[in-house]
Amino acid sequence: SLDLVARREDGDAQIAQDSVQRADGGINIRNVAYLRTYKVTFTNRSDSTETVETVERRPGGWTVVTSSVPAERLAPDAIRFRVVVPARGESVLTYRLRVPTN
């Protein structure tokens, strides 16, 4: 059996538009992005506390909007989360990404 188990769930997704109002009252849309939420539940069945490293890789100019654990930028296309999972317990990582559509 495995002592450490991770279960990832895709959460809600929304479309975000950055826009500005012109002097004539019209609106210019500058860019469009998806806001996507993820949840990863780590279960530790061992008798010792463990630290799990989770890496998210995506092409493009995406950013982390929020996260329950600090995100560390590894490269332009990768971030890492380090999650401490207690012995015989579980920890939950949640994070929200802003992913440009263009």
Side-chain angles (χ1 to χ4, degrees), residues 35-48:
L35 297 175
R36 189 73 191 225
T37 302
Y38 298 94
K39 176 182 174 184
V40 185
T41 303
F42 299 96
T43 304
N44 182 0
R45 297 179 184 140
S46 74
D47 292 327
S48 60

Side-chain angles (χ1 to χ4, degrees), residues 6-101:
R7 186 179 70 248
R8 179 180 162 133
E9 301 171 42
D10 291 348
D12 66 330
Q14 299 173 333
I15 295 178
Q17 295 181 343
D18 292 334
S19 57
V20 293
Q21 188 169 9
R22 298 187 309 254
D24 65 4
I27 295 178
N28 285 347
I29 297 174
R30 290 191 173 175
N31 59 49
V32 178
Y34 287 104
L35 297 175
R36 189 73 191 225
T37 302
Y38 298 94
K39 176 182 174 184
V40 185
T41 303
F42 299 96
T43 304
N44 182 0
R45 297 179 184 140
S46 74
D47 292 327
S48 60
T49 298
E50 301 290 341
T51 299
V52 178
E53 293 187 358
T54 300
V55 176
E56 176 81 32
R57 293 188 184 276
R58 291 182 177 268
W62 55 276
T63 57
V64 176
V65 178
T66 61
S67 74
S68 60
V69 174
E72 302 171 60
R73 181 65 71 173
L74 299 176
D77 68 340
I79 55 168
R80 173 177 53 203
F81 300 99
R82 291 183 178 170
V83 181
V84 176
V85 188
R88 302 277 174 206
E90 75 175 25
S91 293
V92 177
L93 163 65
T94 56
Y95 58 100
R96 187 170 183 97
L97 302 180
R98 180 183 175 90
V99 183
T101 61

